[in-house]
Amino acid sequence: MIKQQEVYKIGRLGKTHGVKGEISFMFDDDVFDRVDADYLVLDIDGILVPFFMEEYRFRSDSTAIVKFEDINTQDRARELTNCDVYFPRALTDDDEASHSLALLVGFDIVDAQTKKAVGTIAAIDDSTANILFELENGTLIPASEDLITHIDQKKKQITIALPEGILDL
């Protein structure tokens, strides 16, 4: 059984494409292409299930058309629409980890000055030039390399020199 901490979210499936079981895939991270992965993990009713890719092709820098094995009709592909797509952390080597902020979802933020935990990263907001860590409690923390003092992959912690007053907003 695949556990949530073994994967990280890279996108979501959209509408079907054609009648042969293809489906659109909107992704935030193209790691599946960079590390030559054979499968993606889909969240099917709260259960993480591996789906092997037969083929895929890019439509843009954030969208691909994917054909999964044994999904051969539009109706079968339609059952997968709106599923969140995850990627196994084990298939991502350390060099690749530095390329994807999505890997940091689930990490705890620690204040560099007080050494206290501030919260856990629930999402990455990269909709603007200023990337933000969105914590589970709704707090937004700048994801600036200038503020990050240490990342501990094993403990899943990021130590950040927080700007004064940021937690009071």
Side-chain angles (χ1 to χ4, degrees):
M1 182 170 189
I2 300 172
K3 296 182 178 128
Q4 189 69 42
Q5 60 267 28
E6 296 173 347
V7 296
Y8 67 99
K9 186 176 175 184
I10 62 169
R12 187 175 190 90
L13 295 179
K15 342 184 260 190
T16 59
H17 183 83
V19 295
K20 296 181 181 175
E22 293 179 320
I23 191 165
S24 64
F25 171 35
M26 290 80 60
F27 56 89
D28 301 319
D29 187 341
D30 66 352
V31 65
F32 65 97
D33 186 54
R34 292 192 317 261
V35 298
D36 197 29
D38 293 329
Y39 68 96
L40 297 173
V41 178
L42 304 185
D43 183 339
I44 308 290
D45 297 326
I47 299 171
L48 297 174
V49 181
F51 277 76
F52 287 85
M53 294 180 289
E54 210 170 274
E55 63 182 5
Y56 62 88
R57 62 187 181 279
F58 290 98
R59 294 201 48 152
S60 71
D61 61 353
S62 63
T63 307
I65 301 297
V66 179
K67 170 73 174 75
F68 292 109
E69 288 181 7
D70 301 322
I71 305 294
N72 298 315
T73 66
Q74 185 177 28
D75 289 337
R76 286 279 292 129
R78 190 175 288 120
E79 294 172 7
L80 303 177
T81 60
N82 296 320
C83 284
D84 287 332
V85 179
Y86 295 85
F87 194 78
R89 291 179 190 271
L91 296 180
T92 308
D93 64 29
D94 290 335
D95 292 338
E96 291 295 331
S98 64
H99 296 297
S100 177
L101 287 173
L103 273 171
L104 301 178
V105 171
F107 276 52
D108 292 321
I109 298 289
V110 175
D111 184 349
Q113 186 174 359
T114 66
K115 306 295 186 225
K116 292 184 179 175
V118 174
T120 303
I121 299 172
I124 307 293
D125 181 351
D126 60 357
S127 60
T128 66
N130 297 318
I131 298 171
L132 300 169
F133 295 131
E134 184 177 334
L135 304 186
E136 290 175 343
N137 64 7
T139 303
L140 298 174
I141 304 288
S144 169
E145 288 182 25
D146 296 337
L147 299 177
I148 297 172
T149 60
H150 182 70
I151 297 177
D152 188 328
Q153 297 260 351
K154 289 185 174 149
K155 289 184 180 178
K156 294 181 73 175
Q157 288 181 336
I158 302 172
T159 305
I160 296 182
L162 295 173
E164 189 174 326
I166 191 119
L167 299 177
D168 299 328
L169 296 176

